[in-house]
Amino acid sequence: MKIAVRLLLLPTIPALLFALPWWILVHAPTGGSGVLFWLGTAVCALGFALLPLLLIAGHGPAHSDPASIVGDTLLGIVWIAFSWSAIGALLHAVLAVAGVGDPARSRMIAAGVAAVSLVLVAWGIAEARRVPRVRAVDVSIPGLGAAFDGLRLVVVTDTHFAALDRLRWSERVVEVVNAQRPDIACHAGDLADGPVPRRRPQVDPLGKVEAPLGRFYITGNHEYFGDAQGWIDHMTGLGWQPLHNEHRTLTRGSDTLVIAGIDDPTGASLPGHGPDLPAALAGTPTEAPVVLLAHQPKQIADSAAAGVALQISGHTHGGQIWPFHYLVRLDQPVVAGLSTHGRTQLYTSRGTGFWGPQLRVFAPSEITVLTLRSAARPVG
């Protein structure tokens, strides 16, 4: 049954993505005839036919980098065109009620949708490829000892090193991270897409991150689409400490702070992997606040039940390409930012890189500096 559903969705989703832009940008303004109509129809039909093939070749067992680059870019472009065509369809109805006739109405809408889509594609590529902005947030932690007040915890996540060679970008991210003078550095998962030998040159600059109290890494769901254990071993070789359902206790004088990490839920399909919060917290000092790395925000339910002080997550990319964040919100309790869940706080990063389409629209990437404050000290 699952296979049948996937086979049905494979052509259905691309058909929907291309059908609405075809109607708004091709059929309506041309009246369904003429050279532009047939040229536009041919372009849409070709995109519809190629998109599933490119995505399968790029993200399937073959791991074809050229197919991934072309297919992902096409997916991002058609998603933007689809989203703004939907808005165009609403405006089309409004203008019809206002008495604006065709073909002027359809041509105005088509020109507007095309212009907005082109601008957003260009801007989205620039936003995705740029070095992320630094986002600084103070977090008040009940029970945090005075010795740890002001501790700077720098978070990168969802770097998704993949088909595009982003070696220089990786090096510049490390430069920005080190400029924040972190006490602790964290990578909250989705490190890379693809096998270690192919992606390691882009990942290796992370070995130059400087954080005197530790560099900690957890797996995201994308590690489990490939070689999760290979990436755990590689990050260990770079001097990072993978938190594979485990914790580290930090001590300053008489004060303690626990940094813990759990696997992504997709890891349950791999023997010895999968989230195990009780194991991660076993043996932690009773009064010490716990900062937990958990890739998906929806893992907050277990964290809150366990009395974790702060969970740090990624996964959502902040939606990455508007308005996809509405779909993300159906699966996750939070899309981005600091939120409170009972006595547990959750910080959800919009991510440092991008997955798939090299586009970010109304969801800028970030390198996050979380400054931990004792609850007794005013924040701000």
Side-chain angles (χ1 to χ4, degrees):
M1 180 61 70
K2 290 182 179 180
I3 294 175
V5 170
R6 290 175 182 173
L7 290 174
L8 180 62
L9 289 177
L10 193 61
T12 301
I13 292 176
L16 292 174
L17 288 176
F18 281 95
L20 186 56
W22 170 80
W23 182 266
I24 294 294
L25 298 174
V26 178
H27 185 277
T30 63
S33 63
V35 174
L36 291 179
F37 169 76
W38 290 110
L39 181 60
T41 299
V43 169
C44 290
L46 181 62
F48 165 71
L50 287 179
L51 182 59
L53 299 178
L54 290 168
L55 293 179
I56 291 172
H59 296 284
H63 283 295
S64 169
D65 285 352
S68 175
I69 293 171
V70 176
D72 291 346
T73 302
L74 178 58
L75 177 62
I77 292 172
V78 74
W79 171 255
I80 290 175
F82 172 84
S83 301
W84 289 90
S85 291
I87 295 174
L90 293 176
L91 291 176
H92 195 281
V94 171
L95 291 177
V97 172
V100 179
D102 261 337
R105 180 175 71 245
S106 294
R107 290 173 180 173
M108 288 170 54
I109 295 297
V113 169
V116 169
S117 297
L118 287 173
V119 169
L120 289 180
V121 166
W123 178 58
I125 291 174
E127 276 291 309
R129 299 292 294 270
R130 65 166 291 149
V131 175
R133 300 169 181 85
V134 174
R135 181 177 174 84
V137 180
D138 281 9
V139 184
S140 180
I141 304 292
L144 184 70
F148 287 105
D149 184 70
L151 181 139
R152 294 170 65 81
L153 195 156
V154 176
V155 180
V156 296
T157 183
D158 299 278
T159 45
H160 286 283
F161 293 111
L164 285 168
D165 185 358
R166 289 184 288 148
L167 174 58
R168 179 58 187 143
W169 180 88
S170 180
E171 293 170 341
R172 293 177 66 192
V173 165
V174 170
E175 292 170 3
V176 173
V177 168
N178 286 338
Q180 308 313 309
R181 296 175 288 104
D183 297 298
I184 295 171
C186 298
H187 194 300
D190 280 3
L191 173 66
D193 291 281
V196 174
R198 191 179 296 185
R199 308 302 182 214
R200 65 179 297 173
Q202 299 179 64
V203 174
D204 284 352
L206 293 177
K208 297 180 181 179
V209 169
E210 300 171 358
L213 295 185
R215 300 174 294 176
F216 303 101
Y217 160 71
I218 59 167
T219 53
N221 55 307
H222 278 249
E223 278 87 346
Y224 293 105
F225 300 154
D227 182 10
Q229 189 58 52
W231 284 117
I232 289 173
D233 295 340
H234 188 67
M235 289 294 278
T236 301
L238 293 178
W240 287 67
Q241 300 179 55
L243 296 176
H244 176 40
N245 295 321
E246 54 191 311
H247 72 270
R248 300 288 185 272
T249 301
L250 308 179
T251 302
R252 279 181 172 176
S254 60
D255 295 329
T256 55
L257 174 68
V258 172
I259 306 294
I262 54 176
D263 295 349
D264 187 80
T266 55
S269 61
L270 187 67
H273 290 257
D276 189 340
L277 187 56
L281 300 182
T284 57
T286 304
E287 300 302 321
V290 175
V291 175
L292 176 73
L293 301 180
H295 182 64
Q296 299 196 37
K298 65 184 178 183
Q299 294 174 274
I300 189 64
D302 292 336
S303 299
V308 167
L310 172 66
Q311 176 178 309
I312 299 170
S313 299
H315 186 64
T316 67
H317 299 206
Q320 186 165 319
I321 304 175
W322 185 91
F324 196 76
H325 68 285
Y326 289 115
L327 298 179
V328 174
R329 188 63 181 81
L330 296 176
D331 182 56
Q332 301 291 336
V334 176
V335 175
L338 186 66
S339 56
T340 301
H341 305 260
R343 285 192 272 183
T344 298
Q345 296 180 84
L346 166 65
Y347 186 82
T348 305
S349 169
R350 290 189 298 254
T352 310
F354 58 86
W355 178 85
Q358 53 178 312
L359 295 159
R360 275 187 173 270
V361 177
F362 307 139
S365 56
E366 65 180 79
I367 294 169
T368 318
V369 180
L370 300 178
T371 301
L372 306 189
R373 300 293 186 186
S374 299
R377 175 174 176 165
V379 176

PDB file of all heavy atoms in Angstrom, residues 246-260:
ATOM      1  N   GLU A 246      23.707  10.565  24.865  1.00  0.00           N
ATOM      2  CA  GLU A 246      24.615  10.666  26.006  1.00  0.00           C
ATOM      3  C   GLU A 246      24.776  12.125  26.402  1.00  0.00           C
ATOM      4  O   GLU A 246      24.195  13.018  25.778  1.00  0.00           O
ATOM      5  CB  GLU A 246      25.984  10.058  25.654  1.00  0.00           C
ATOM      6  CG  GLU A 246      26.617  10.620  24.401  1.00  0.00           C
ATOM      7  CD  GLU A 246      27.832   9.806  23.960  1.00  0.00           C
ATOM      8  OE1 GLU A 246      28.679   9.527  24.804  1.00  0.00           O
ATOM      9  OE2 GLU A 246      27.903   9.468  22.750  1.00  0.00           O
ATOM     10  N   HIS A 247      25.555  12.365  27.456  1.00  0.00           N
ATOM     11  CA  HIS A 247      25.727  13.726  27.943  1.00  0.00           C
ATOM     12  C   HIS A 247      27.161  13.952  28.414  1.00  0.00           C
ATOM     13  O   HIS A 247      27.918  13.000  28.599  1.00  0.00           O
ATOM     14  CB  HIS A 247      24.753  14.024  29.090  1.00  0.00           C
ATOM     15  CG  HIS A 247      25.112  13.320  30.381  1.00  0.00           C
ATOM     16  ND1 HIS A 247      24.623  12.064  30.680  1.00  0.00           N
ATOM     17  CD2 HIS A 247      25.915  13.690  31.427  1.00  0.00           C
ATOM     18  CE1 HIS A 247      25.101  11.688  31.852  1.00  0.00           C
ATOM     19  NE2 HIS A 247      25.882  12.650  32.334  1.00  0.00           N
ATOM     20  N   ARG A 248      27.478  15.224  28.588  1.00  0.00           N
ATOM     21  CA  ARG A 248      28.729  15.634  29.214  1.00  0.00           C
ATOM     22  C   ARG A 248      28.383  16.608  30.326  1.00  0.00           C
ATOM     23  O   ARG A 248      27.501  17.464  30.169  1.00  0.00           O
ATOM     24  CB  ARG A 248      29.670  16.306  28.219  1.00  0.00           C
ATOM     25  CG  ARG A 248      30.075  15.426  27.044  1.00  0.00           C
ATOM     26  CD  ARG A 248      31.036  14.314  27.466  1.00  0.00           C
ATOM     27  NE  ARG A 248      31.493  13.556  26.294  1.00  0.00           N
ATOM     28  CZ  ARG A 248      30.873  12.510  25.782  1.00  0.00           C
ATOM     29  NH1 ARG A 248      29.729  12.093  26.336  1.00  0.00           N
ATOM     30  NH2 ARG A 248      31.353  11.868  24.743  1.00  0.00           N
ATOM     31  N   THR A 249      29.080  16.494  31.452  1.00  0.00           N
ATOM     32  CA  THR A 249      28.868  17.393  32.573  1.00  0.00           C
ATOM     33  C   THR A 249      30.019  18.385  32.639  1.00  0.00           C
ATOM     34  O   THR A 249      31.187  17.981  32.711  1.00  0.00           O
ATOM     35  CB  THR A 249      28.778  16.614  33.898  1.00  0.00           C
ATOM     36  OG1 THR A 249      27.692  15.674  33.830  1.00  0.00           O
ATOM     37  CG2 THR A 249      28.533  17.552  35.067  1.00  0.00           C
ATOM     38  N   LEU A 250      29.679  19.670  32.591  1.00  0.00           N
ATOM     39  CA  LEU A 250      30.679  20.733  32.655  1.00  0.00           C
ATOM     40  C   LEU A 250      30.691  21.310  34.066  1.00  0.00           C
ATOM     41  O   LEU A 250      29.634  21.488  34.686  1.00  0.00           O
ATOM     42  CB  LEU A 250      30.351  21.827  31.646  1.00  0.00           C
ATOM     43  CG  LEU A 250      30.117  21.364  30.198  1.00  0.00           C
ATOM     44  CD1 LEU A 250      29.785  22.564  29.317  1.00  0.00           C
ATOM     45  CD2 LEU A 250      31.325  20.617  29.663  1.00  0.00           C
ATOM     46  N   THR A 251      31.880  21.613  34.558  1.00  0.00           N
ATOM     47  CA  THR A 251      32.010  22.104  35.931  1.00  0.00           C
ATOM     48  C   THR A 251      32.841  23.379  35.953  1.00  0.00           C
ATOM     49  O   THR A 251      33.901  23.461  35.303  1.00  0.00           O
ATOM     50  CB  THR A 251      32.681  21.056  36.835  1.00  0.00           C
ATOM     51  OG1 THR A 251      31.909  19.847  36.805  1.00  0.00           O
ATOM     52  CG2 THR A 251      32.781  21.547  38.272  1.00  0.00           C
ATOM     53  N   ARG A 252      32.346  24.368  36.653  1.00  0.00           N
ATOM     54  CA  ARG A 252      33.096  25.583  36.945  1.00  0.00           C
ATOM     55  C   ARG A 252      32.948  25.849  38.435  1.00  0.00           C
ATOM     56  O   ARG A 252      31.860  26.200  38.902  1.00  0.00           O
ATOM     57  CB  ARG A 252      32.572  26.768  36.149  1.00  0.00           C
ATOM     58  CG  ARG A 252      33.062  26.849  34.720  1.00  0.00           C
ATOM     59  CD  ARG A 252      32.501  28.085  34.034  1.00  0.00           C
ATOM     60  NE  ARG A 252      33.093  28.314  32.729  1.00  0.00           N
ATOM     61  CZ  ARG A 252      32.730  29.276  31.895  1.00  0.00           C
ATOM     62  NH1 ARG A 252      31.757  30.112  32.250  1.00  0.00           N
ATOM     63  NH2 ARG A 252      33.328  29.421  30.726  1.00  0.00           N
ATOM     64  N   GLY A 253      34.030  25.666  39.190  1.00  0.00           N
ATOM     65  CA  GLY A 253      33.936  25.797  40.630  1.00  0.00           C
ATOM     66  C   GLY A 253      32.959  24.777  41.186  1.00  0.00           C
ATOM     67  O   GLY A 253      33.085  23.575  40.933  1.00  0.00           O
ATOM     68  N   SER A 254      31.941  25.252  41.898  1.00  0.00           N
ATOM     69  CA  SER A 254      30.937  24.341  42.455  1.00  0.00           C
ATOM     70  C   SER A 254      29.698  24.241  41.566  1.00  0.00           C
ATOM     71  O   SER A 254      28.744  23.543  41.923  1.00  0.00           O
ATOM     72  CB  SER A 254      30.520  24.824  43.848  1.00  0.00           C
ATOM     73  OG  SER A 254      29.974  26.131  43.782  1.00  0.00           O
ATOM     74  N   ASP A 255      29.709  24.919  40.428  1.00  0.00           N
ATOM     75  CA  ASP A 255      28.545  24.921  39.543  1.00  0.00           C
ATOM     76  C   ASP A 255      28.706  23.890  38.427  1.00  0.00           C
ATOM     77  O   ASP A 255      29.817  23.674  37.923  1.00  0.00           O
ATOM     78  CB  ASP A 255      28.339  26.306  38.923  1.00  0.00           C
ATOM     79  CG  ASP A 255      27.985  27.358  39.976  1.00  0.00           C
ATOM     80  OD1 ASP A 255      27.351  26.984  40.982  1.00  0.00           O
ATOM     81  OD2 ASP A 255      28.345  28.532  39.781  1.00  0.00           O
ATOM     82  N   THR A 256      27.577  23.291  38.037  1.00  0.00           N
ATOM     83  CA  THR A 256      27.603  22.291  36.964  1.00  0.00           C
ATOM     84  C   THR A 256      26.526  22.604  35.920  1.00  0.00           C
ATOM     85  O   THR A 256      25.497  23.199  36.222  1.00  0.00           O
ATOM     86  CB  THR A 256      27.369  20.868  37.497  1.00  0.00           C
ATOM     87  OG1 THR A 256      26.140  20.832  38.227  1.00  0.00           O
ATOM     88  CG2 THR A 256      28.512  20.417  38.390  1.00  0.00           C
ATOM     89  N   LEU A 257      26.802  22.184  34.698  1.00  0.00           N
ATOM     90  CA  LEU A 257      25.877  22.326  33.583  1.00  0.00           C
ATOM     91  C   LEU A 257      25.997  21.078  32.732  1.00  0.00           C
ATOM     92  O   LEU A 257      27.117  20.605  32.458  1.00  0.00           O
ATOM     93  CB  LEU A 257      26.207  23.567  32.750  1.00  0.00           C
ATOM     94  CG  LEU A 257      25.408  23.773  31.456  1.00  0.00           C
ATOM     95  CD1 LEU A 257      23.948  24.088  31.782  1.00  0.00           C
ATOM     96  CD2 LEU A 257      26.023  24.885  30.620  1.00  0.00           C
ATOM     97  N   VAL A 258      24.856  20.530  32.319  1.00  0.00           N
ATOM     98  CA  VAL A 258      24.855  19.308  31.517  1.00  0.00           C
ATOM     99  C   VAL A 258      24.529  19.651  30.072  1.00  0.00           C
ATOM    100  O   VAL A 258      23.556  20.350  29.789  1.00  0.00           O
ATOM    101  CB  VAL A 258      23.823  18.289  32.062  1.00  0.00           C
ATOM    102  CG1 VAL A 258      23.682  17.098  31.110  1.00  0.00           C
ATOM    103  CG2 VAL A 258      24.236  17.819  33.450  1.00  0.00           C
ATOM    104  N   ILE A 259      25.349  19.158  29.152  1.00  0.00           N
ATOM    105  CA  ILE A 259      25.077  19.235  27.716  1.00  0.00           C
ATOM    106  C   ILE A 259      24.779  17.815  27.246  1.00  0.00           C
ATOM    107  O   ILE A 259      25.629  16.923  27.355  1.00  0.00           O
ATOM    108  CB  ILE A 259      26.277  19.794  26.924  1.00  0.00           C
ATOM    109  CG1 ILE A 259      26.709  21.147  27.497  1.00  0.00           C
ATOM    110  CG2 ILE A 259      25.917  19.919  25.448  1.00  0.00           C
ATOM    111  CD1 ILE A 259      25.694  22.242  27.335  1.00  0.00           C
ATOM    112  N   ALA A 260      23.574  17.582  26.763  1.00  0.00           N
ATOM    113  CA  ALA A 260      23.155  16.239  26.347  1.00  0.00           C
ATOM    114  C   ALA A 260      22.697  16.278  24.893  1.00  0.00           C
ATOM    115  O   ALA A 260      22.412  17.336  24.332  1.00  0.00           O
ATOM    116  CB  ALA A 260      22.027  15.729  27.246  1.00  0.00           C
TER     117      ALA A 260
END
